[in-house]
Amino acid sequence: MKTIPEAALNVMGRTAYIDDLPEPRNLLHSAVKLSGSARGRMTRIDAARALALHPSVRVITWKDIPGENQLGFTVADEPLLPEREWEYWGQPLVLCLAETKGLARRAAELVVVEGDALAPTFDPREAAAKGDFILPPRTQRSGDPAAAFARAAYVVSGRADSGGQEHVYLETQGAIAEPRDGDRIFIISGTQGPAVVQRAAARVLGLPMNKVEVETRRLGGGFGGKEDQATTWGCLAALGARLSGRPVKLCLDRKTDMRATGKRHPYSSDWKIAADAEGRLLAFEADYYQNSGCSCDLSAAIISRTLFHAVGAYRIPNVRVTGFLCRTNLPSFTAFRGFGAPQGIFVMEAALDALARRMGIDPVELRRRNLLEEGDITHYGMPMTRVRARESFDSLLEKTRWRELRAEVDSFNASHALEKRGLAVVPNCFGVSFTKLQMNQGGALVHVYQDGSVLVSTGAIEMGQQVSRKIARVTACTLGIPIERVAIERTTTLTVANTVPTAASTGSDINGMAALAACEEIRGRLVRRAAELVGGPAAGLSIEDGRVVRGREDTGLSWDDLVLKTYESRVDLSAHGFYATPGLFYDMEAEKGSPFAYHVYGAALVEVRLDVLRGLYAVERALIVHDVGRSLDRAVDLGQIEGAFAQGLGWALLEELAFGADGRLLSDTLSTYKLPDAHFLPARLEVEMMRETDNPRAVLNSKAIGEPPLVYGIAGYFALLDALRSARPDGPGMYDLPLTPEKALDYLTGDRPEYGREKAAKGDTPC
Amino acid sequence: MTKRMLRFVANDREVGTEAWEGSPALDFIRRELGLTGTKEGCREGDCGACAVILGERLENGAVRYRAAPSCLLALGELDGRHLVTIEGLASGAEDGLTPVMLAFLAENASQCGFCSPGFIVSLTAWLLEGERLDEAGALTAVEGNLCRCTGYGSIRRAASRLLAEFPGLPADPLARIDALVAARVVPASLAAFARGKLLADDARVRPAAGETSLVIGGGTDFYVRNTDPEPRDGFFLAGSDPALRRMTRSGDGGLEVGAAVTIRDFFACPELLSLVPGIGRFEASFASILVRNRATLGGNIANASPVADMTSMLIALGARLGIARPGGDGPSREIPLESFFLGYKKLDLGPGEIIRTILIPPPCRPFRFNFEKAAKRASLDIAAVNTAVLLELDGNRVVRGRLSAGGVAATPLLLPKSSAFLAGRAVSAGTARDLAALAASEVETIGDVRGSAGYRRRVLERLVMAHFTTLFRDRVADGIAEDLAVRVSSSEEDRR
Ligand SMILES: Cc1cc2nc3c(=O)[nH]c(=O)nc-3n(C[C@H](O)[C@H](O)[C@H](O)COP(=O)(O)OP(=O)(O)OC[C@H]3O[C@@H](n4cnc5c(N)ncnc54)[C@H](O)[C@@H]3O)c2cc1C
Ligand code: FES
Ligand code: FES
């Protein structure tokens, strides 16, 4: 086993995250004052007591912003610091600078912001009823749903809700900004998109982008939470630095991070599904009320991914799905691994579950009957190729010996009254590419140094998905050298410009391809030089494992010599590579096109055990069959599958955002917001990567891995529902994710209060 | 402010500081010692990113190393002790990579890496002092560490590797340390400290507690509520008084537990396990091993959380509190634990008084004890509701019972009506059902982020029944199962 320097630094505790960096000499610390109610019109900001605290205290408000007070690029609804109204509980209102972190925090507490209360909205359906949308609703359709419903043997409809999800990247948000050389600003930002921070900071400071440099080292986790929402902190630090002329650090404590930043969007949806007498799906309709929070952020791109994934891995000829971006007075919900797809897929799986019950058939059988096939055309008009839905589903059923397992669990349940086991299988079909077309581009800068070592810079941010390791592999493969010769440089806006955020699972696809392009360019130059050195035509020469070879024969020329000789002949050993995902198009008017480069397939089985008396449960087992194309790195892919599944399972069964009736986040600590720990994950978690097949649409035939496996967590929901139904066969459908112990017990006792209401009314009793 | 020089060993060197002993050790470690491998992930004991290993020479001369969350650790706790951080571990290995670190690399168990130092510290502590060197023991060792990236699969595999690599480590602490130093799992400074070669002249006795303005047990509640406490005089670390860390058999055959005994030590005490057989299995329901290593019984009680687990158990066990001044001088008094709580976070504790001992009386006749807890996550989660029961039995009949409940009122409760109801009842499904209904009617629940008022009442009812299915499965399980089935359908009818 070769050690990877990066990971080695991690385990030795030597990786420096933002708060670990040596602090520049005259550094100022900072803290934000958060709003203390959900909505209000600002009347007065009184900084007197804060300023009296210590001479180093400085209080910065929107009035101090030299440029444009606006972070929103899709919709201009996101001021850095609000000017007139605050729009959610926990919104940063004012920035305080001081000599120490403690002083800055106390100063922030002392600032008084007064205002008149305005009536807030928290429920997306209520916002929809008022027509309060961030952007107009979007609808995708195919076939003739109305006619299909009219002639169907079975029609079922209902409602499904899914809750938000806190990212809990272990490293909280943060940034350090430093004034440099007169009017330049240098920002170290914990962001997935340095170019986004650069553009926003330039706008806020009233500077051209060439005066703002943003650097990102590795992140202690991102998961989408630092795609757009790291920008605020980078910009605030930059603003503080600009105004004070000193370096400014802004690192959030966990509670401020949880209160102030956005999370996965909660959805409330209505669905209707129809099948013929044989259980073939005929039609599906859904209205998704996305709780977008107080501003647009990435909500528009997220709703489009929901719509694209509305029917999951199934073939349905008649579809009408509509997404509403509902404005509420909650933090602006944002990207989170899966980006709206899991929310859409949950609705589809809920509909199928209800339909199977109505038809009295095994939901697994119903799912199996309706899987996508090669050549099917999706409701948004994309012809599906290299489809592996059935292959993955069947292989999962075979591995789990589905029939026997089902029978065994049924007989266990028949003989156990106080304990029940539950099973569910969920397929996966996940589209890869940014749903916003223009974002599917990336750049890379590759240097080969005279000693033969290679340095690669791309837009890809390392945040635990180990994209660096993949890009190093692509580079090594393309240049024909051992991976130890390759180093990946941190991302800065100086080396690669106009990068897109590392997101949408496309980090290694796009950046890997750009690196590949640069490497191919350099390799071409090297091979031409090699031909001069060893004689004969360049064609047929290649570099393998650090040697120049012709066919299988070693030419006697090593990589190191070749590099040096190429350098001596005054040939450029650097190249910039660029990649724009080909073949993507989408007609927004018609809502038709091919927005994805390819799809990722798979299926998962989850088994749970329910304690009928207490309403508590444990996930006992999971088996995942997943399509990795030709994996660039199986260890990395395994980590991504397991990690995404854990997050999906947490979202489905455990993680619960709780807001008070007044819009205050109640689950604002890790003691009140629980995420999976080591005990929560099943001891029997098996991951099976599917037979490797080519994927010509991504780098070296690989497939994106970051987001798709999160979908498997949904199987956890339906497995528990299955167990609950064994305990209470007459129980209703219940599609209200996450399925927490409280909801489970309510199901078992037949009590279903309006979740959230009762709890909120009493507020938070500290325990 | 009066200042006191704290002296301790940080990895391999002795350190002295006059910083306030009540400030969180994490800040000192990161800022003053510059050891930034110890991370801050939550500052409230929930993530384990800040874990360090703390070594101490005990009263009896033995040495003990345990992991602790440094965000909840008073700097004063380092005094006279050995602090080992991730940097210290790395320094013991030739190329900076210990076998635990190498296991992480081999299994690709470090992704974003932010949690990795904490996990490695926890697993190293497990090798150093874990009683169970098996898969379950490894899982327990990391139950206080959160990782958002890996889903824990690779971390489990790394632990399995370690098990294969270190079979049969010696049970004797000193021999274990030597073996692990030889294997470069830990640096040689541990063996030196254990033998008194580091901080050798540390014969200083801690100053006797003077006027106390602030008592800290383990700090696991205090630092959650005071993330940045202001320095003040009169700071008293309960654990600095050796008398408060002892557990002894009392004259009447019961147990006298010092208020600064940690949850970990409490459950490991052989006298307790013989007094209340089976109580050991409830250790796992309390927080995580990181927190159990620090949290004290006295702190659990004095914090007065309505859902304090130990308090709930102790109330059912009929525990009494010995209350006095910190040094034990002056008048002292004894009160039943349940009457210690006057209202939400209001205690029967005068100025200058502390809890010194917890007295667990011996039961008069054969008895059974059980504890139940409902929380969102099965491990490391604060209860929505907890309850404990003590049943003194004469054959199939309850002679006397005590039922406690937490999370169903402003304070932990002894349920008097339910407890009285138990006297003379037969052990049966009917008794369980009636008791459960009575208990649920006896409380006034309120809702919060951990559970609505309705849920709390319902789950209390179920947990009370669970006492019986757990203790007398054969006698009551069928009856209760039947009962549940009937109830569900009748409530369905109500709705129609
Ligand atoms: C991550 C995490 C998980 C937790 N999980 C649980 C759980 O599962 N169950 C549970 O019950 N609790 C849990 N807790 C709460 C806490 O750990 C316990 O209540 C613990 O027992 C408190 O003890 P301590 O010694 O650390 O208290 P400290 O923080 O030291 O003190 C708490 C309070 O009691 C006072 N005090 C301490 N000792 C005395 C004394 N001898 N006399 C008078 N006053 C005193 C202090 O002044 C302070 O006000 C958890 C806490 C954390 C951080
Ligand atoms: S920082 Fe999270 S446990 Fe200490
Ligand atoms: S590796 Fe990222 S949190 Fe564990």
Side-chain angles (χ1 to χ4, degrees):
Chain A
M1 160 76 212
K2 281 189 197 94
T3 58
I4 316 94
E6 282 222 343
L9 291 178
N10 287 350
V11 297
M12 289 188 279
R14 280 171 46 198
T15 302
Y17 303 86
I18 292 188
D19 199 29
D20 302 333
L21 295 171
E23 296 181 345
R25 244 190 322 128
N26 50 349
L27 179 81
L28 283 174
H29 292 268
S30 63
V32 282
K33 168 88 186 174
L34 303 183
S35 66
S37 71
R39 193 169 172 216
R41 186 175 295 111
M42 220 149 25
T43 52
R44 195 170 74 99
I45 298 177
D46 179 358
R49 284 174 62 213
L51 293 170
L53 183 68
H54 191 265
S56 70
V57 171
R58 175 158 184 174
V59 177
I60 295 172
T61 71
W62 65 271
K63 292 190 186 127
D64 301 307
I65 293 173
E68 196 188 335
N69 182 16
Q70 188 51 249
L71 303 181
F73 288 111
T74 309
V75 178
D77 59 357
E78 225 181 310
L80 176 60
L81 294 170
E83 301 183 7
R84 279 175 293 276
E85 281 184 23
W86 65 83
E87 291 169 300
Y88 68 97
W89 190 311
Q91 183 172 357
L93 302 176
V94 165
L95 178 73
C96 293
L97 310 182
E99 295 284 353
T100 68
K101 201 149 125 186
L103 275 175
R105 287 203 185 138
R106 258 177 294 146
E109 278 162 27
L110 290 174
V111 174
V112 179
V113 180
E114 287 171 2
D116 302 325
L118 296 172
T121 309
F122 305 119
D123 179 4
R125 288 178 186 260
E126 194 184 318
K130 288 193 276 192
D132 196 357
F133 300 121
I134 283 175
L135 287 169
R138 268 180 73 178
T139 296
Q140 293 177 349
R141 59 178 97 237
S142 66
D144 184 351
F149 280 116
R151 70 180 145 83
Y154 297 96
V155 177
V156 188
S157 64
R159 171 174 164 161
D161 291 275
S162 61
Q165 186 176 25
E166 173 64 53
H167 301 87
V168 198
Y169 25 70
L170 263 245
E171 181 195 20
T172 53
Q173 304 257 11
I176 300 178
E178 255 181 86
R180 285 211 175 149
D181 323 326
D183 61 351
R184 288 185 58 230
I185 282 279
F186 171 65
I187 308 170
I188 298 177
S189 165
T191 177
Q192 294 172 237
V196 180
V197 177
Q198 181 197 22
R199 186 171 170 214
R203 189 191 218 184
V204 166
L205 300 181
L207 293 172
M209 282 171 76
N210 64 6
K211 299 276 188 190
V212 180
E213 175 187 350
V214 179
E215 168 183 314
T216 300
R217 292 144 185 266
R218 53 187 298 132
L219 308 182
F223 316 114
K226 297 170 182 172
E227 180 174 348
D228 231 35
Q229 301 224 349
T231 307
T232 304
W233 320 107
C235 288
L236 283 174
L239 178 65
R242 177 84 175 161
L243 296 175
S244 67
R246 290 169 63 175
V248 168
K249 172 160 154 179
L250 180 57
C251 285
L252 303 189
D253 57 77
R254 178 65 61 188
K255 195 174 256 186
T256 305
D257 188 308
M258 291 178 88
R259 287 179 174 172
T261 68
K263 306 127 201 338
R264 182 191 297 285
H265 291 79
Y267 274 54
S268 184
S269 311
D270 296 322
W271 51 264
K272 186 170 161 191
I273 194 164
D276 66 14
E278 283 73 52
R280 271 188 299 266
L281 297 178
L282 294 176
F284 179 72
E285 278 187 354
D287 291 304
Y288 306 95
Y289 298 95
Q290 179 200 63
N291 192 334
S292 310
C294 67
S295 69
C296 182
D297 183 270
L298 297 163
S299 298
I302 289 166
I303 200 86
S304 60
R305 187 166 280 274
T306 304
L307 297 179
F308 289 135
H309 289 79
V311 301
Y314 306 102
R315 130 203 282 185
I316 309 183
N318 304 288
V319 174
R320 194 275 307 156
V321 286
T322 305
F324 301 91
L325 287 80
C326 310
R327 188 195 318 274
T328 61
N329 294 100
L330 292 174
S332 188
F333 293 101
T334 191
F336 192 138
R337 205 173 195 172
F339 207 74
Q343 290 98 317
I345 292 169
F346 174 66
V347 174
M348 183 68 219
E349 295 298 339
L352 278 177
D353 180 80
L355 178 62
R357 260 174 87 74
R358 168 71 58 84
M359 295 178 66
I361 64 171
D362 179 359
V364 170
E365 185 46 39
L366 180 64
R367 287 178 166 102
R368 194 173 171 276
R369 253 175 237 178
N370 290 286
L371 291 169
L372 274 168
E373 300 287 354
E374 188 72 18
D376 279 350
I377 296 184
T378 64
H379 62 282
Y380 49 88
M382 179 166 176
M384 299 294 279
T385 55
R386 298 175 184 262
V387 173
R388 305 185 80 186
R390 189 164 301 282
E391 183 189 344
S392 53
F393 202 83
D394 283 350
S395 121
L396 180 85
L397 294 189
E398 194 180 310
K399 295 228 155 57
T400 54
R401 305 167 63 88
W402 171 251
R403 272 174 210 291
E404 289 91 326
L405 180 64
R406 182 76 259 181
E408 182 205 325
V409 166
D410 289 345
S411 82
F412 175 93
N413 289 345
S415 59
H416 290 74
L418 292 180
E419 219 180 346
K420 300 288 179 190
R421 289 163 65 190
L423 295 173
V425 176
V426 163
N428 196 358
C429 167
F430 200 99
V432 177
S433 288
F434 281 101
T435 45
K436 191 170 175 183
L437 206 60
Q438 70 179 48
M439 293 179 75
N440 294 289
Q441 55 169 313
L445 181 64
V446 177
H447 298 313
V448 176
Y449 292 99
Q450 295 164 60
D451 67 353
S453 65
V454 179
L455 187 72
V456 185
S457 311
T458 71
I461 303 297
E462 180 56 54
M463 50 191 166
Q465 82 284 43
Q466 298 181 300
V467 63
S468 305
R469 192 162 149 174
K470 287 190 166 178
I471 289 175
R473 186 141 298 173
V474 169
T475 305
C477 257
T478 315
L479 293 177
I481 52 175
I483 195 164
E484 293 73 38
R485 306 303 301 276
V486 183
I488 306 294
E489 186 47 82
R490 69 182 72 120
T491 306
T492 88
T493 51
L494 293 188
T495 45
V496 186
N498 306 317
T499 56
V500 297
T502 303
S505 311
T506 60
S508 51
D509 279 13
I510 290 180
N511 295 287
M513 279 294 208
L516 185 111
C519 291
E520 276 179 344
E521 172 73 40
I522 297 175
R523 188 184 59 193
R525 295 177 203 154
L526 287 167
V527 168
R528 279 193 293 281
R529 180 71 183 120
E532 292 168 20
L533 292 168
V534 301
L541 275 184
S542 63
I543 313 171
E544 270 162 36
D545 210 17
R547 309 286 309 170
V548 177
V549 296
R550 185 178 293 284
R552 292 242 181 87
E553 223 157 290
D554 195 316
T555 59
L557 183 61
S558 73
W559 164 262
D560 285 3
D561 288 343
L562 173 61
V563 166
L564 195 62
K565 298 214 158 86
T566 309
Y567 166 72
E568 285 164 0
S569 65
R570 299 189 299 164
V571 169
D572 184 6
L573 287 176
S574 297
H576 174 78
F578 180 77
Y579 181 72
T581 316
L584 304 180
F585 66 93
Y586 198 73
D587 178 345
M588 288 291 286
E589 284 289 305
E591 290 279 7
K592 294 280 179 209
S594 282
F596 298 117
Y598 57 92
H599 287 76
V600 173
Y601 297 89
L605 169 117
V606 171
E607 180 179 339
V608 304
R609 188 178 288 256
L610 170 72
D611 173 340
V612 175
L613 190 55
R614 299 172 182 84
L616 305 176
Y617 46 81
V619 181
E620 296 268 290
R621 177 190 180 196
L623 178 64
I624 294 169
V625 169
H626 190 78
D627 163 25
V628 292
R630 292 198 187 280
S631 177
L632 282 179
D633 189 319
R634 293 178 79 89
V636 170
D637 284 353
L638 177 62
Q640 287 297 296
I641 295 169
E642 290 178 337
F645 172 66
Q647 281 178 348
L649 206 58
W651 176 60
L653 294 177
L654 175 65
E655 299 181 37
E656 192 175 31
L657 281 185
F659 291 99
D662 51 7
R664 192 185 121 182
L665 180 67
L666 301 178
S667 52
D668 59 358
T669 59
L670 297 189
S671 64
T672 47
Y673 184 85
K674 302 316 276 186
L675 53 134
D677 63 356
H679 289 294
F680 187 79
L681 271 292
R684 286 181 71 195
L685 169 54
E686 299 155 67
V687 174
E688 174 103 13
M689 295 187 197
M690 289 173 72
R691 179 180 54 89
E692 297 208 338
T693 54
D694 283 350
N695 174 31
R697 313 285 311 265
V699 63
L700 304 182
N701 287 307
S702 63
K703 281 201 172 186
I705 190 78
E707 295 171 287
L710 190 132
V711 168
Y712 301 132
I714 294 172
Y717 186 96
F718 289 96
L720 178 54
L721 190 56
D722 185 48
L724 285 167
R725 285 210 186 106
S726 314
R728 196 187 153 196
D730 61 337
M734 170 169 68
Y735 309 112
D736 185 10
L737 173 154
L739 222 178
T740 56
E742 174 161 349
K743 288 181 197 164
L745 188 67
D746 287 345
Y747 191 88
L748 292 168
T749 56
D751 296 280
R752 291 227 46 208
E754 295 269 331
Y755 299 111
R757 298 273 160 76
E758 189 186 11
K759 160 181 318 188
K762 293 285 182 182
D764 184 17
T765 314
C767 288
Chain B
M1 263 210 54
T2 45
K3 289 213 165 153
R4 191 160 84 83
M5 176 63 103
L6 306 174
R7 285 185 51 221
F8 58 97
V9 183
N11 294 325
D12 56 359
R13 67 195 174 92
E14 291 185 19
V15 176
T17 176
E18 284 196 336
W20 182 54
E21 57 186 321
S23 47
L26 173 64
D27 294 341
F28 191 86
I29 292 168
R30 287 178 54 81
R31 301 210 191 111
E32 307 304 320
L33 299 177
L35 300 171
T36 53
T38 305
K39 308 294 181 199
E40 175 179 324
C42 68
R43 229 177 154 83
E44 46 173 25
D46 275 292
C47 77
C50 66
V52 296
I53 297 176
L54 201 56
E56 65 172 320
R57 296 188 287 249
L58 302 173
E59 238 191 328
N60 63 7
V63 69
R64 187 166 82 182
Y65 281 91
R66 280 185 177 173
S70 63
C71 64
L72 304 182
L73 187 68
L75 184 61
E77 290 283 6
L78 301 186
D79 196 29
R81 302 210 170 127
H82 185 191
L83 167 75
V84 186
T85 68
I86 187 80
E87 292 88 349
L89 296 177
S91 72
E94 229 151 72
D95 47 2
L97 291 167
T98 69
V100 182
M101 296 172 188
L102 287 170
F104 263 59
L105 291 179
E107 293 297 343
N108 196 33
S110 175
Q111 292 187 11
C112 83
F114 200 84
C115 70
S116 308
F119 273 95
I120 287 163
V121 163
S122 288
L123 284 171
T124 305
W126 166 65
L127 291 176
L128 261 173
E129 58 101 13
E131 291 111 16
R132 293 190 62 176
L133 291 177
D134 57 13
E135 308 265 340
L139 208 56
T140 302
V142 298
E143 68 190 359
N145 295 81
L146 288 176
C147 174
R148 193 54 152 166
C149 296
T150 60
Y152 306 98
S154 52
I155 294 172
R156 278 171 186 259
R157 291 187 287 273
S160 306
R161 249 174 208 268
L162 292 171
L163 281 172
E165 202 175 333
F166 298 102
L169 285 170
D172 172 62
L174 200 56
R176 176 101 65 107
I177 289 171
D178 289 339
L180 292 172
V181 168
R184 306 215 175 244
V185 173
V186 295
S189 56
L190 276 83
F193 179 82
R195 293 188 167 78
K197 289 182 190 152
L198 272 168
L199 220 61
D201 58 338
D202 192 58
R204 291 166 307 147
V205 185
R206 286 179 182 256
E211 255 338 285
T212 300
S213 70
L214 176 57
V215 196
I216 296 281
T220 63
D221 271 317
F222 177 78
Y223 288 105
V224 172
R225 282 177 289 112
N226 303 276
T227 42
D228 243 329
E230 286 285 301
R232 58 166 126 164
D233 275 327
F235 183 80
F236 174 57
L237 279 172
S240 65
D241 180 347
L244 295 188
R245 294 178 70 186
R246 287 185 203 130
M247 290 181 76
T248 44
R249 266 275 147 107
S250 53
D252 61 0
L255 202 60
E256 192 175 323
V257 187
V261 166
T262 63
I263 308 300
R264 175 94 184 271
D265 289 341
F266 179 69
F267 281 112
C269 169
E271 283 84 12
L272 174 75
L273 300 179
S274 72
L275 188 70
V276 190
I279 194 172
R281 69 177 191 279
F282 306 119
E283 177 178 3
S285 60
F286 188 99
S288 63
I289 189 159
L290 287 174
V291 174
R292 292 196 295 275
N293 283 345
R294 299 291 322 148
T296 68
L297 236 45
N300 192 261
I301 295 167
N303 187 48
S305 158
V307 285
D309 292 328
M310 299 313 301
T311 306
S312 193
M313 289 184 220
L314 290 166
I315 287 178
L317 287 170
R320 300 170 66 77
L321 299 181
I323 294 175
R325 292 177 44 79
D329 49 332
S332 66
R333 59 196 175 95
E334 224 184 274
I335 55 166
L337 173 53
E338 59 273 16
S339 63
F340 183 60
F341 306 105
L342 305 177
Y344 181 67
K345 300 244 167 185
K346 270 185 64 191
L347 303 177
D348 176 7
L349 196 69
E353 277 188 328
I354 68 159
I355 304 171
R356 278 190 62 84
T357 51
I358 296 108
L359 304 147
I360 304 174
C364 318
R365 48 182 81 72
F367 73 98
R368 305 295 302 272
F369 173 77
N370 190 48
F371 174 71
E372 293 283 335
K373 169 172 175 174
K376 207 172 269 172
R377 202 171 64 188
S379 54
L380 182 46
D381 196 1
I382 312 269
V385 169
N386 64 27
T387 166
V389 73
L390 179 82
L391 298 171
E392 293 183 1
L393 297 168
D394 180 6
N396 195 34
R397 199 153 292 279
V398 180
V399 179
R400 207 164 61 102
R402 287 173 68 86
L403 181 69
S404 70
V408 293
T411 68
L413 293 180
L414 175 74
L415 299 178
K417 284 190 207 149
S418 305
S419 298
F421 167 86
L422 276 166
R425 301 284 155 174
V427 169
S428 68
T431 300
R433 182 200 319 124
D434 294 347
L435 180 71
L438 182 60
S441 72
E442 202 179 340
V443 297
E444 198 53 61
T445 52
I446 54 169
D448 73 8
V449 62
R450 296 206 169 89
S452 66
Y455 172 65
R456 290 194 139 124
R457 187 184 301 278
R458 284 190 284 280
V459 83
L460 173 65
E461 200 172 335
R462 291 300 185 90
L463 294 182
V464 170
M465 287 194 252
H467 284 316
F468 284 78
T469 57
T470 306
L471 294 175
F472 313 103
R473 183 161 198 99
D474 297 347
R475 274 180 265 174
V476 302
D478 288 349
I480 286 182
E482 245 166 61
D483 196 42
L484 293 186
V486 174
R487 276 201 212 200
V488 164
S489 46
S490 70
S491 65
E492 264 301 280
E493 263 154 36
D494 295 346
R495 279 145 44 95
R496 283 196 204 111

mmCIF file of all heavy atoms in Angstrom, chain A residues 78 151 317 429 563 606:
data_model
loop_
_atom_site.group_PDB
_atom_site.id
_atom_site.type_symbol
_atom_site.label_atom_id
_atom_site.label_comp_id
_atom_site.label_asym_id
_atom_site.label_seq_id
_atom_site.Cartn_x
_atom_site.Cartn_y
_atom_site.Cartn_z
ATOM 1 N N GLU A 78 -29.990 38.818 -2.432
ATOM 2 C CA GLU A 78 -29.153 38.374 -1.330
ATOM 3 C C GLU A 78 -28.129 39.440 -0.943
ATOM 4 O O GLU A 78 -26.963 39.353 -1.330
ATOM 5 C CB GLU A 78 -28.404 37.125 -1.799
ATOM 6 C CG GLU A 78 -28.385 36.004 -0.807
ATOM 7 C CD GLU A 78 -27.599 34.822 -1.357
ATOM 8 O OE1 GLU A 78 -27.847 34.382 -2.502
ATOM 9 O OE2 GLU A 78 -26.699 34.374 -0.644
ATOM 10 N N ARG A 151 -58.103 6.394 -18.110
ATOM 11 C CA ARG A 151 -58.330 5.007 -18.509
ATOM 12 C C ARG A 151 -57.603 4.001 -17.619
ATOM 13 O O ARG A 151 -57.645 2.805 -17.857
ATOM 14 C CB ARG A 151 -57.956 4.816 -19.972
ATOM 15 C CG ARG A 151 -56.461 4.899 -20.247
ATOM 16 C CD ARG A 151 -56.131 4.701 -21.718
ATOM 17 N NE ARG A 151 -54.989 5.519 -22.114
ATOM 18 C CZ ARG A 151 -53.723 5.171 -21.934
ATOM 19 N NH1 ARG A 151 -53.416 4.030 -21.366
ATOM 20 N NH2 ARG A 151 -52.749 5.968 -22.321
ATOM 21 N N PRO A 317 -44.873 6.761 -19.285
ATOM 22 C CA PRO A 317 -45.075 7.475 -20.556
ATOM 23 C C PRO A 317 -45.751 8.842 -20.424
ATOM 24 O O PRO A 317 -45.528 9.716 -21.254
ATOM 25 C CB PRO A 317 -45.947 6.521 -21.372
ATOM 26 C CG PRO A 317 -46.540 5.554 -20.388
ATOM 27 C CD PRO A 317 -45.643 5.493 -19.211
ATOM 28 N N CYS A 429 -31.213 5.915 -10.487
ATOM 29 C CA CYS A 429 -30.818 6.345 -11.829
ATOM 30 C C CYS A 429 -30.559 7.832 -11.707
ATOM 31 O O CYS A 429 -31.488 8.615 -11.536
ATOM 32 C CB CYS A 429 -31.948 6.069 -12.814
ATOM 33 S SG CYS A 429 -31.703 6.881 -14.396
ATOM 34 N N VAL A 563 12.307 14.624 -20.311
ATOM 35 C CA VAL A 563 11.847 15.929 -19.847
ATOM 36 C C VAL A 563 12.982 16.942 -19.914
ATOM 37 O O VAL A 563 12.843 18.041 -20.457
ATOM 38 C CB VAL A 563 11.289 15.818 -18.407
ATOM 39 C CG1 VAL A 563 11.124 17.206 -17.777
ATOM 40 C CG2 VAL A 563 9.958 15.077 -18.416
ATOM 41 N N VAL A 606 -32.231 -2.402 2.161
ATOM 42 C CA VAL A 606 -31.983 -2.068 3.563
ATOM 43 C C VAL A 606 -32.924 -2.900 4.421
ATOM 44 O O VAL A 606 -34.082 -3.125 4.065
ATOM 45 C CB VAL A 606 -32.194 -0.556 3.825
ATOM 46 C CG1 VAL A 606 -32.157 -0.254 5.317
ATOM 47 C CG2 VAL A 606 -31.118 0.260 3.111
#
